[in-house]
Amino acid sequence: MKAEIISIGTELLLGEITDTNAAYLASQLPLLGIDLHFISTVGDNKQRLIETLNHAWQRSDIIITTGGLGPTEDDITREAIAEFFHEPITIDQSLVSQFKELFNSFNMDMPESNIKQASVIPSVCIIANPRGTAPGWWAEKDNHVIIAMPGPPGEMQQMWSNVVAPQLQDKYCHAIIYSKTLKTFSLSEAKVGELTRAYLLAQNPTVGIYAKPDGIHLRITAKAETLSNARELVEKAAVEIHGILGNYIWGSDSETLEGIIANLLTINSMNLAVAEAGTGGILANTITNIAESSKFFKYGTVINRGDLKRDYGINDAIIKQYGVVSEEVACIIASAVRAKCDTSFGVGLIGVIESDDSNNKLGTIAIGIANNTGKRGFKKVYPGTRMQVKQRAAISALYELKNILTEETKCT
Amino acid sequence: MKAEIISIGTELLLGEITDTNAAYLASQLPLLGIDLHFISTVGDNKQRLIETLNHAWQRSDIIITTGGLGPTEDDITREAIAEFFHEPITIDQSLVSQFKELFNSFNMDMPESNIKQASVIPSVCIIANPRGTAPGWWAEKDNHVIIAMPGPPGEMQQMWSNVVAPQLQDKYCHAIIYSKTLKTFSLSEAKVGELTRAYLLAQNPTVGIYAKPDGIHLRITAKAETLSNARELVEKAAVEIHGILGNYIWGSDSETLEGIIANLLTINSMNLAVAEAGTGGILANTITNIAESSKFFKYGTVINRGDLKRDYGINDAIIKQYGVVSEEVACIIASAVRAKCDTSFGVGLIGVIESDDSNNKLGTIAIGIANNTGKRGFKKVYPGTRMQVKQRAAISALYELKNILTEETKCT
């Protein structure tokens, strides 16, 4: 089966946003054994969208669109598909009722313009959107299908994984495809690629390499007649790659570093406090993205370097001996916040995110992790913008904390 | 003049990388008054690229490609253009000499495979690439031009700004396009659309409406013979829209709420401390994304609801009277953190991000803002996931703080 993606939105043609939806869908289609040969981007222009749909119809079986399902005048996806299919639009009143209920639950009246989001045509099955008011369209005709999904990435991805991908799998997948993603940190993409080159060139399973904020991911995908055969092929390659990359692999599939840490802390009735002097709250914010974080995350603080002396006793003698942005100072901060909050673990982060200082270049981060058996410090330099350095510092701290937690609690 | 972008590379069709080249070029073309109506992505497949070039040729005057100019077997851009033009490829020996010199300057021999990068056809003028070995192609024929540039973003952007954009400007610039974005908060997309309907339907300037994490944006775009005429059209519409939306508009173009707040605090020698009990550090993290935030952001803390009593004196009597997630409690927290840190402003955030509690539904956030003239509280309910509620709470707090700061400092 051949698929084509059409990303709809004038903001894409003005470079206001980058098309992450197409990249996401492109990474998902191989898991369904569906080939993708073309991606097109078109603006909020009905005639040009119809032209693009027509061209896609000639060469692809499955056409996936994102965008243009909002409630305003420049949302024209439904109108374009209706005109392309020569089918009349009607309003589905049960959808209108659902929208009204949703707005009421937030003490708002539904604006009239949202009614157009309840549009349907005869060939369409509605795809529910639990994250917004724009339902998707699944429109089958003449051995083709057009799947129209919302533009906001969170809504689109949830609709894709909850409904669209399973439906595509049922309908079009004649072999079983099984996939596993290994997540690594601390090695560059080039290095991971070098170490796993044989796997990157292999046919079944295939291995794709992706650079992500939390490290380099390797996705192993196998195709076979049965699920157990496909899984066997994947697991064999995964074990071999584990043998090559060892502890650089920190997790797999949908795991996150903060999620793994949350589990380890919770299972072991442990908790955590963090103090950030240079990373601005990103570590606390990342950890508290985990549901029920208040069960294991006790306290976070964001201070300026100038307050280290007053709040953490980092006096001139210490600074003179180790430097401010040092593993030693990070460990002092970690121990202090741990003692103050009486937690199992304390993490201290201190970094240079403004500009080079006299001893450290921009992007230098020191991490201290303290618990009842002692403290460990790490110092790294990260390239990039202020936000990239903050993000990498947080991931790095989580990675080191995960390793220590795993060791100390003897869980793997 | 109509342009079309073709991004070439199988890694794009596997979602291994996101197409930032197209977004960059899309943002640059309006500055040359060149319209962009389509972007296509195709893999390292010569026939499919020829098909895409042919289709682009029918509807666009200027075709810009990125990718496929490397030295390996799967780099097929030059071959595809040559075949599309029915012109023979020859090797330009002066280019080969230049490559050899470049490799020698790094004490390396030039691999044989790099010779193909010296390929030319009769219709081509070579575009120098100071950042790599892949020269670009400027290929004119029958009132069309194909401009082929390298894939690596740094090389492409330098070639674009040094050579391609100036050459396009000389050759094709007959109109100027000018654009301004107004940023709103606190109104839904549908409501903004309803209030500005006449502008959404207008032709020149056109107005596009976009839902973003920091609110609803309106992008006003005009085309005219000169920059000042285009600007005048845009500014006229902007003034009229300001008249309709008033203070719901908080900023424009590349401004962010945190950036505006940073400026207002800095100009007025003021500073800020925040305490978050339910939003996990996102407010501190957002504010500290601004360069030199330590100049106006003094302190942030993340605590659990259970510690409100101990740390902020929120006793049972207060909870009984107002409820925990209330404007009153948020204001107490705001005043307390302001007093503790002796700052101009204190912000307190308390929210329900786990699950409905007995008095408040999931997504309820209370914001308190305290300064020397008093305190103001706000309570809102936000739909969405944990991370969306956190994000909206932070934006909402920033929006209210911006309004108070603007009033109090009499800046607009």
Side-chain angles (χ1 to χ4, degrees), chain B residues 171-198:
Chain B
K171 210 170 158 59
Y172 296 113
C173 249
H174 302 302
I176 303 293
I177 295 180
Y178 182 80
S179 180
K180 179 172 188 147
T181 299
L182 302 179
K183 299 182 169 183
T184 78
F185 189 75
S186 220
L187 290 174
S188 69
E189 183 179 0
K191 193 66 185 172
V192 174
E194 214 177 277
L195 293 171
T196 59
R197 195 169 181 277

PDB file of all heavy atoms in Angstrom, chain B residues 171-198:
ATOM      1  N   LYS B 171      16.581  39.453 -10.219  1.00  0.00           N
ATOM      2  CA  LYS B 171      15.889  38.943 -11.393  1.00  0.00           C
ATOM      3  C   LYS B 171      14.366  39.065 -11.339  1.00  0.00           C
ATOM      4  O   LYS B 171      13.709  39.282 -12.324  1.00  0.00           O
ATOM      5  CB  LYS B 171      16.257  37.462 -11.546  1.00  0.00           C
ATOM      6  CG  LYS B 171      16.250  36.987 -12.976  1.00  0.00           C
ATOM      7  CD  LYS B 171      16.851  35.590 -13.073  1.00  0.00           C
ATOM      8  CE  LYS B 171      16.356  34.910 -14.352  1.00  0.00           C
ATOM      9  NZ  LYS B 171      16.691  35.650 -15.582  1.00  0.00           N
ATOM     10  N   TYR B 172      13.800  38.881 -10.130  1.00  0.00           N
ATOM     11  CA  TYR B 172      12.363  38.658 -10.063  1.00  0.00           C
ATOM     12  C   TYR B 172      11.544  39.557  -9.147  1.00  0.00           C
ATOM     13  O   TYR B 172      10.328  39.491  -9.158  1.00  0.00           O
ATOM     14  CB  TYR B 172      12.085  37.221  -9.592  1.00  0.00           C
ATOM     15  CG  TYR B 172      12.579  36.172 -10.534  1.00  0.00           C
ATOM     16  CD1 TYR B 172      13.626  35.321 -10.164  1.00  0.00           C
ATOM     17  CD2 TYR B 172      12.009  36.018 -11.794  1.00  0.00           C
ATOM     18  CE1 TYR B 172      14.072  34.342 -11.024  1.00  0.00           C
ATOM     19  CE2 TYR B 172      12.461  35.045 -12.656  1.00  0.00           C
ATOM     20  CZ  TYR B 172      13.490  34.207 -12.269  1.00  0.00           C
ATOM     21  OH  TYR B 172      13.933  33.228 -13.118  1.00  0.00           O
ATOM     22  N   CYS B 173      12.220  40.387  -8.359  1.00  0.00           N
ATOM     23  CA  CYS B 173      11.443  41.091  -7.341  1.00  0.00           C
ATOM     24  C   CYS B 173      10.629  42.237  -7.882  1.00  0.00           C
ATOM     25  O   CYS B 173      11.166  43.299  -8.189  1.00  0.00           O
ATOM     26  CB  CYS B 173      12.388  41.643  -6.283  1.00  0.00           C
ATOM     27  SG  CYS B 173      12.190  40.784  -4.762  1.00  0.00           S
ATOM     28  N   HIS B 174       9.313  42.047  -7.989  1.00  0.00           N
ATOM     29  CA  HIS B 174       8.474  43.134  -8.491  1.00  0.00           C
ATOM     30  C   HIS B 174       7.479  43.609  -7.460  1.00  0.00           C
ATOM     31  O   HIS B 174       6.807  44.598  -7.659  1.00  0.00           O
ATOM     32  CB  HIS B 174       7.738  42.688  -9.768  1.00  0.00           C
ATOM     33  CG  HIS B 174       8.703  42.251 -10.831  1.00  0.00           C
ATOM     34  ND1 HIS B 174       9.677  43.077 -11.322  1.00  0.00           N
ATOM     35  CD2 HIS B 174       8.863  41.064 -11.470  1.00  0.00           C
ATOM     36  CE1 HIS B 174      10.396  42.418 -12.222  1.00  0.00           C
ATOM     37  NE2 HIS B 174       9.919  41.205 -12.336  1.00  0.00           N
ATOM     38  N   ALA B 175       7.339  42.885  -6.371  1.00  0.00           N
ATOM     39  CA  ALA B 175       6.430  43.339  -5.315  1.00  0.00           C
ATOM     40  C   ALA B 175       7.046  42.980  -3.974  1.00  0.00           C
ATOM     41  O   ALA B 175       7.893  42.099  -3.892  1.00  0.00           O
ATOM     42  CB  ALA B 175       5.065  42.663  -5.456  1.00  0.00           C
ATOM     43  N   ILE B 176       6.637  43.691  -2.989  1.00  0.00           N
ATOM     44  CA  ILE B 176       7.123  43.407  -1.632  1.00  0.00           C
ATOM     45  C   ILE B 176       5.965  42.861  -0.807  1.00  0.00           C
ATOM     46  O   ILE B 176       4.841  43.373  -0.892  1.00  0.00           O
ATOM     47  CB  ILE B 176       7.637  44.705  -0.968  1.00  0.00           C
ATOM     48  CG1 ILE B 176       8.735  45.344  -1.814  1.00  0.00           C
ATOM     49  CG2 ILE B 176       8.122  44.418   0.454  1.00  0.00           C
ATOM     50  CD1 ILE B 176      10.004  44.539  -1.888  1.00  0.00           C
ATOM     51  N   ILE B 177       6.280  41.829  -0.018  1.00  0.00           N
ATOM     52  CA  ILE B 177       5.271  41.315   0.914  1.00  0.00           C
ATOM     53  C   ILE B 177       5.714  41.653   2.336  1.00  0.00           C
ATOM     54  O   ILE B 177       6.854  41.422   2.702  1.00  0.00           O
ATOM     55  CB  ILE B 177       5.104  39.797   0.760  1.00  0.00           C
ATOM     56  CG1 ILE B 177       4.543  39.493  -0.636  1.00  0.00           C
ATOM     57  CG2 ILE B 177       4.163  39.242   1.828  1.00  0.00           C
ATOM     58  CD1 ILE B 177       4.341  38.033  -0.919  1.00  0.00           C
ATOM     59  N   TYR B 178       4.808  42.252   3.099  1.00  0.00           N
ATOM     60  CA  TYR B 178       5.111  42.618   4.489  1.00  0.00           C
ATOM     61  C   TYR B 178       4.092  41.974   5.413  1.00  0.00           C
ATOM     62  O   TYR B 178       2.906  41.894   5.088  1.00  0.00           O
ATOM     63  CB  TYR B 178       5.079  44.145   4.628  1.00  0.00           C
ATOM     64  CG  TYR B 178       5.433  44.643   6.010  1.00  0.00           C
ATOM     65  CD1 TYR B 178       6.763  44.739   6.404  1.00  0.00           C
ATOM     66  CD2 TYR B 178       4.437  45.016   6.916  1.00  0.00           C
ATOM     67  CE1 TYR B 178       7.094  45.210   7.672  1.00  0.00           C
ATOM     68  CE2 TYR B 178       4.763  45.470   8.182  1.00  0.00           C
ATOM     69  CZ  TYR B 178       6.091  45.567   8.555  1.00  0.00           C
ATOM     70  OH  TYR B 178       6.418  46.019   9.811  1.00  0.00           O
ATOM     71  N   SER B 179       4.552  41.515   6.553  1.00  0.00           N
ATOM     72  CA  SER B 179       3.669  40.751   7.433  1.00  0.00           C
ATOM     73  C   SER B 179       3.840  41.175   8.881  1.00  0.00           C
ATOM     74  O   SER B 179       4.939  41.521   9.303  1.00  0.00           O
ATOM     75  CB  SER B 179       4.038  39.275   7.256  1.00  0.00           C
ATOM     76  OG  SER B 179       3.248  38.462   8.043  1.00  0.00           O
ATOM     77  N   LYS B 180       2.747  41.183   9.653  1.00  0.00           N
ATOM     78  CA  LYS B 180       2.826  41.464  11.099  1.00  0.00           C
ATOM     79  C   LYS B 180       1.877  40.523  11.821  1.00  0.00           C
ATOM     80  O   LYS B 180       0.754  40.300  11.356  1.00  0.00           O
ATOM     81  CB  LYS B 180       2.404  42.906  11.367  1.00  0.00           C
ATOM     82  CG  LYS B 180       2.430  43.286  12.857  1.00  0.00           C
ATOM     83  CD  LYS B 180       2.207  44.764  13.059  1.00  0.00           C
ATOM     84  CE  LYS B 180       2.425  45.139  14.535  1.00  0.00           C
ATOM     85  NZ  LYS B 180       2.966  46.476  14.703  1.00  0.00           N
ATOM     86  N   THR B 181       2.319  39.977  12.937  1.00  0.00           N
ATOM     87  CA  THR B 181       1.480  39.060  13.719  1.00  0.00           C
ATOM     88  C   THR B 181       1.069  39.708  15.026  1.00  0.00           C
ATOM     89  O   THR B 181       1.919  40.210  15.765  1.00  0.00           O
ATOM     90  CB  THR B 181       2.253  37.764  14.020  1.00  0.00           C
ATOM     91  OG1 THR B 181       2.587  37.139  12.781  1.00  0.00           O
ATOM     92  CG2 THR B 181       1.429  36.810  14.844  1.00  0.00           C
ATOM     93  N   LEU B 182      -0.230  39.709  15.302  1.00  0.00           N
ATOM     94  CA  LEU B 182      -0.748  40.189  16.593  1.00  0.00           C
ATOM     95  C   LEU B 182      -1.047  38.974  17.455  1.00  0.00           C
ATOM     96  O   LEU B 182      -1.608  37.993  16.978  1.00  0.00           O
ATOM     97  CB  LEU B 182      -2.035  41.002  16.393  1.00  0.00           C
ATOM     98  CG  LEU B 182      -1.913  42.217  15.477  1.00  0.00           C
ATOM     99  CD1 LEU B 182      -3.269  42.918  15.331  1.00  0.00           C
ATOM    100  CD2 LEU B 182      -0.874  43.196  15.995  1.00  0.00           C
ATOM    101  N   LYS B 183      -0.667  39.032  18.737  1.00  0.00           N
ATOM    102  CA  LYS B 183      -0.832  37.883  19.621  1.00  0.00           C
ATOM    103  C   LYS B 183      -1.873  38.192  20.692  1.00  0.00           C
ATOM    104  O   LYS B 183      -1.752  39.186  21.404  1.00  0.00           O
ATOM    105  CB  LYS B 183       0.514  37.527  20.267  1.00  0.00           C
ATOM    106  CG  LYS B 183       1.559  37.151  19.214  1.00  0.00           C
ATOM    107  CD  LYS B 183       2.897  36.745  19.832  1.00  0.00           C
ATOM    108  CE  LYS B 183       3.790  36.136  18.759  1.00  0.00           C
ATOM    109  NZ  LYS B 183       5.071  35.651  19.268  1.00  0.00           N
ATOM    110  N   THR B 184      -2.872  37.305  20.798  1.00  0.00           N
ATOM    111  CA  THR B 184      -3.952  37.528  21.771  1.00  0.00           C
ATOM    112  C   THR B 184      -3.958  36.401  22.793  1.00  0.00           C
ATOM    113  O   THR B 184      -3.418  35.318  22.555  1.00  0.00           O
ATOM    114  CB  THR B 184      -5.334  37.558  21.084  1.00  0.00           C
ATOM    115  OG1 THR B 184      -5.746  36.213  20.786  1.00  0.00           O
ATOM    116  CG2 THR B 184      -5.318  38.364  19.799  1.00  0.00           C
ATOM    117  N   PHE B 185      -4.624  36.660  23.926  1.00  0.00           N
ATOM    118  CA  PHE B 185      -4.833  35.597  24.920  1.00  0.00           C
ATOM    119  C   PHE B 185      -6.182  35.808  25.575  1.00  0.00           C
ATOM    120  O   PHE B 185      -6.698  36.927  25.602  1.00  0.00           O
ATOM    121  CB  PHE B 185      -3.716  35.619  25.975  1.00  0.00           C
ATOM    122  CG  PHE B 185      -3.760  34.414  26.897  1.00  0.00           C
ATOM    123  CD1 PHE B 185      -3.338  33.166  26.452  1.00  0.00           C
ATOM    124  CD2 PHE B 185      -4.250  34.511  28.194  1.00  0.00           C
ATOM    125  CE1 PHE B 185      -3.391  32.045  27.278  1.00  0.00           C
ATOM    126  CE2 PHE B 185      -4.300  33.402  29.025  1.00  0.00           C
ATOM    127  CZ  PHE B 185      -3.870  32.165  28.569  1.00  0.00           C
ATOM    128  N   SER B 186      -6.752  34.713  26.039  1.00  0.00           N
ATOM    129  CA  SER B 186      -7.988  34.751  26.814  1.00  0.00           C
ATOM    130  C   SER B 186      -9.266  34.693  25.971  1.00  0.00           C
ATOM    131  O   SER B 186     -10.363  34.707  26.524  1.00  0.00           O
ATOM    132  CB  SER B 186      -8.025  36.009  27.691  1.00  0.00           C
ATOM    133  OG  SER B 186      -8.562  35.694  28.958  1.00  0.00           O
ATOM    134  N   LEU B 187      -9.124  34.650  24.661  1.00  0.00           N
ATOM    135  CA  LEU B 187     -10.293  34.430  23.797  1.00  0.00           C
ATOM    136  C   LEU B 187     -10.044  33.144  23.022  1.00  0.00           C
ATOM    137  O   LEU B 187      -8.912  32.861  22.636  1.00  0.00           O
ATOM    138  CB  LEU B 187     -10.456  35.569  22.785  1.00  0.00           C
ATOM    139  CG  LEU B 187     -10.892  36.937  23.300  1.00  0.00           C
ATOM    140  CD1 LEU B 187     -10.850  37.952  22.155  1.00  0.00           C
ATOM    141  CD2 LEU B 187     -12.295  36.881  23.898  1.00  0.00           C
ATOM    142  N   SER B 188     -11.116  32.398  22.740  1.00  0.00           N
ATOM    143  CA  SER B 188     -10.946  31.176  21.943  1.00  0.00           C
ATOM    144  C   SER B 188     -10.680  31.545  20.478  1.00  0.00           C
ATOM    145  O   SER B 188     -10.966  32.656  20.042  1.00  0.00           O
ATOM    146  CB  SER B 188     -12.214  30.316  22.023  1.00  0.00           C
ATOM    147  OG  SER B 188     -13.265  30.964  21.336  1.00  0.00           O
ATOM    148  N   GLU B 189     -10.176  30.588  19.708  1.00  0.00           N
ATOM    149  CA  GLU B 189      -9.905  30.805  18.286  1.00  0.00           C
ATOM    150  C   GLU B 189     -11.199  31.188  17.573  1.00  0.00           C
ATOM    151  O   GLU B 189     -11.221  32.099  16.735  1.00  0.00           O
ATOM    152  CB  GLU B 189      -9.324  29.520  17.666  1.00  0.00           C
ATOM    153  CG  GLU B 189      -8.946  29.667  16.213  1.00  0.00           C
ATOM    154  CD  GLU B 189      -8.348  28.409  15.599  1.00  0.00           C
ATOM    155  OE1 GLU B 189      -8.207  27.387  16.308  1.00  0.00           O
ATOM    156  OE2 GLU B 189      -8.014  28.445  14.389  1.00  0.00           O
ATOM    157  N   ALA B 190     -12.268  30.492  17.913  1.00  0.00           N
ATOM    158  CA  ALA B 190     -13.547  30.774  17.266  1.00  0.00           C
ATOM    159  C   ALA B 190     -14.012  32.193  17.572  1.00  0.00           C
ATOM    160  O   ALA B 190     -14.520  32.900  16.691  1.00  0.00           O
ATOM    161  CB  ALA B 190     -14.591  29.769  17.724  1.00  0.00           C
ATOM    162  N   LYS B 191     -13.812  32.632  18.809  1.00  0.00           N
ATOM    163  CA  LYS B 191     -14.254  33.979  19.190  1.00  0.00           C
ATOM    164  C   LYS B 191     -13.444  35.039  18.462  1.00  0.00           C
ATOM    165  O   LYS B 191     -13.986  36.011  17.935  1.00  0.00           O
ATOM    166  CB  LYS B 191     -14.141  34.152  20.721  1.00  0.00           C
ATOM    167  CG  LYS B 191     -14.848  35.380  21.246  1.00  0.00           C
ATOM    168  CD  LYS B 191     -16.355  35.281  21.058  1.00  0.00           C
ATOM    169  CE  LYS B 191     -17.039  36.573  21.474  1.00  0.00           C
ATOM    170  NZ  LYS B 191     -18.480  36.557  21.128  1.00  0.00           N
ATOM    171  N   VAL B 192     -12.124  34.831  18.414  1.00  0.00           N
ATOM    172  CA  VAL B 192     -11.275  35.790  17.692  1.00  0.00           C
ATOM    173  C   VAL B 192     -11.694  35.813  16.224  1.00  0.00           C
ATOM    174  O   VAL B 192     -11.808  36.884  15.611  1.00  0.00           O
ATOM    175  CB  VAL B 192      -9.775  35.412  17.812  1.00  0.00           C
ATOM    176  CG1 VAL B 192      -8.916  36.319  16.939  1.00  0.00           C
ATOM    177  CG2 VAL B 192      -9.314  35.511  19.257  1.00  0.00           C
ATOM    178  N   GLY B 193     -11.948  34.645  15.671  1.00  0.00           N
ATOM    179  CA  GLY B 193     -12.376  34.536  14.277  1.00  0.00           C
ATOM    180  C   GLY B 193     -13.671  35.275  14.024  1.00  0.00           C
ATOM    181  O   GLY B 193     -13.837  35.982  13.026  1.00  0.00           O
ATOM    182  N   GLU B 194     -14.579  35.142  14.960  1.00  0.00           N
ATOM    183  CA  GLU B 194     -15.876  35.803  14.852  1.00  0.00           C
ATOM    184  C   GLU B 194     -15.709  37.322  14.876  1.00  0.00           C
ATOM    185  O   GLU B 194     -16.268  38.038  14.058  1.00  0.00           O
ATOM    186  CB  GLU B 194     -16.683  35.374  16.083  1.00  0.00           C
ATOM    187  CG  GLU B 194     -18.142  35.214  15.907  1.00  0.00           C
ATOM    188  CD  GLU B 194     -18.775  34.711  17.203  1.00  0.00           C
ATOM    189  OE1 GLU B 194     -18.738  33.488  17.438  1.00  0.00           O
ATOM    190  OE2 GLU B 194     -19.286  35.557  17.960  1.00  0.00           O
ATOM    191  N   LEU B 195     -14.909  37.811  15.815  1.00  0.00           N
ATOM    192  CA  LEU B 195     -14.745  39.259  15.965  1.00  0.00           C
ATOM    193  C   LEU B 195     -13.979  39.894  14.801  1.00  0.00           C
ATOM    194  O   LEU B 195     -14.130  41.086  14.521  1.00  0.00           O
ATOM    195  CB  LEU B 195     -14.003  39.567  17.278  1.00  0.00           C
ATOM    196  CG  LEU B 195     -14.770  39.236  18.561  1.00  0.00           C
ATOM    197  CD1 LEU B 195     -13.863  39.361  19.779  1.00  0.00           C
ATOM    198  CD2 LEU B 195     -15.985  40.141  18.729  1.00  0.00           C
ATOM    199  N   THR B 196     -13.134  39.101  14.118  1.00  0.00           N
ATOM    200  CA  THR B 196     -12.312  39.682  13.043  1.00  0.00           C
ATOM    201  C   THR B 196     -12.680  39.113  11.683  1.00  0.00           C
ATOM    202  O   THR B 196     -11.886  39.120  10.745  1.00  0.00           O
ATOM    203  CB  THR B 196     -10.809  39.398  13.301  1.00  0.00           C
ATOM    204  OG1 THR B 196     -10.618  37.972  13.369  1.00  0.00           O
ATOM    205  CG2 THR B 196     -10.339  40.035  14.579  1.00  0.00           C
ATOM    206  N   ARG B 197     -13.900  38.637  11.578  1.00  0.00           N
ATOM    207  CA  ARG B 197     -14.348  37.931  10.374  1.00  0.00           C
ATOM    208  C   ARG B 197     -14.075  38.708   9.080  1.00  0.00           C
ATOM    209  O   ARG B 197     -13.610  38.147   8.094  1.00  0.00           O
ATOM    210  CB  ARG B 197     -15.833  37.623  10.501  1.00  0.00           C
ATOM    211  CG  ARG B 197     -16.294  36.599   9.501  1.00  0.00           C
ATOM    212  CD  ARG B 197     -17.706  36.090   9.802  1.00  0.00           C
ATOM    213  NE  ARG B 197     -18.070  35.095   8.816  1.00  0.00           N
ATOM    214  CZ  ARG B 197     -18.565  35.367   7.609  1.00  0.00           C
ATOM    215  NH1 ARG B 197     -18.745  36.625   7.248  1.00  0.00           N
ATOM    216  NH2 ARG B 197     -18.848  34.395   6.754  1.00  0.00           N
ATOM    217  N   ALA B 198     -14.375  39.982   9.095  1.00  0.00           N
ATOM    218  CA  ALA B 198     -14.207  40.781   7.870  1.00  0.00           C
ATOM    219  C   ALA B 198     -12.758  40.742   7.392  1.00  0.00           C
ATOM    220  O   ALA B 198     -12.475  40.691   6.194  1.00  0.00           O
ATOM    221  CB  ALA B 198     -14.621  42.220   8.128  1.00  0.00           C
TER     222      ALA B 198
END
